[in-house]
């Protein structure tokens, strides 16, 4: 998160840190007791290793009352996701057991109604991603508020030049922005997850390259299908 602020500890109890060998790789969030939603690109360099999922954390290193690292039982990247673009950039992670829910570990509802969030709506996004242009990595969760920009503006020739599909949305990236390591985290508008930070490599903090999110509503059926099938 560029030019944001430290989040109030444990006030975003749905936030997850996807880790490999104890290192934060991407964000994610709890959508059901045994399921975390993140971005498919994040598994590109795992070389077949499964993530571990840290829940209940504010600091990545300090001991905290409800902090717990969960093993992942199975990972489900969306079948349409690929390394060449941001399409269908979603990843479902089934935890090896239901997360113990408490004040610091809670599920975040996601939008199921497939309708665009109005431009200028101010949403918030949080993560343990880079906080400056030298790639500093924060120990504690950061957050920032960003206004939604319309798909037409985001698709302008000088911005993302027509690559933003109806399954994506954008927020203004002038100065304050998401950045590497924030991918997979939720864009929260009015207390509901509307989008997932895409994990394709992207310049941060440049107003000409707005932040891109995968809209969740168009994928509600896929999400429900995977959760239903994997339990059975
Ligand atoms: O965050 C992303 O957009 C992104 N997209 C990816 C694609 C492949 C992939 F193997 C990883 C990523 C990845 N995350 C990262 O590189 C994380 C490691 C870097 C990081 C930055 C700040 C704080 C902690 C860790």
């Amino acid at each position: 998160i560029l030019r944001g602020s430290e989040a109030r500890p444990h006030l975003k109890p749905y936030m997850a840190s996807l880790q490999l060998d104890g290192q934060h790789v991407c964000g994610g969030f709890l959508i059901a007791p045994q399921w975390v939603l993140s971005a498919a690109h994040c598994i590109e360099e795992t070389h077949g290793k499964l993530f571990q999922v840290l829940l209940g954390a504010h600091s990545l290193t300090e001991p905290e009352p409800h902090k717990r690292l969960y093993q992942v039982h199975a990972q489900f990247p969306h079948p349409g996701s690929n390394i060449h673009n941001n399409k269908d950039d979603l990843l479902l992670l089934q935890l090896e057991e239901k997360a113990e829910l408490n004040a610091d570990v809670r599920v975040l509802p996601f939008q199921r109604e497939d309708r665009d969030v109005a431009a200028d709506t101010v949403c918030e996004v949080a993560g343990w991603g880079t906080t400056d242009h030298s790639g500093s990595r924060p120990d504690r969760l950061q957050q920032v508020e960003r206004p939604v920009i319309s798909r037409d503006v985001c698709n302008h020739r000088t911005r993302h030049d027509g690559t933003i599909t109806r399954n994506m949305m954008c927020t203004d990236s002038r100065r304050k922005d998401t950045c590497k390591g924030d991918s997979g985290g939720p864009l929260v508008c009015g207390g509901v997850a509307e989008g997932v930070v895409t994990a394709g490599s992207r310049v941060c903090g440049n107003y000409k390259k707005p932040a891109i999110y995968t809209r969740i509503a168009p994928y509600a059926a896929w999400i429900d299908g995977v959760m239903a099938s994997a339990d059975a």
Side-chain angles (χ1 to χ4, degrees), residues 24-26 41 44-45 128-130 137 180-183 199:
H24 172 85
V25 171
C26 277
H41 278 288
E44 273 164 21
E45 288 160 29
W128 288 277
T130 41
R137 300 183 173 197
K180 212 152 192 43
D182 292 321
S183 301

Side-chain angles (χ1 to χ4, degrees), residues 36-81:
V36 167
L37 185 61
S38 183
H41 278 288
C42 295
I43 59 171
E44 273 164 21
E45 288 160 29
T46 56
H47 308 296
K49 278 190 274 184
L50 289 176
F51 282 118
Q52 292 179 309
V53 174
L54 182 66
L55 295 176
H58 178 62
S59 160
L60 291 174
T61 57
E62 305 291 318
E64 294 169 338
H66 294 124
K67 209 168 142 177
R68 188 172 150 193
L69 200 59
Y70 286 85
Q71 301 307 318
V72 167
H73 176 69
Q75 298 182 151
F76 302 84
H78 190 283
S81 62

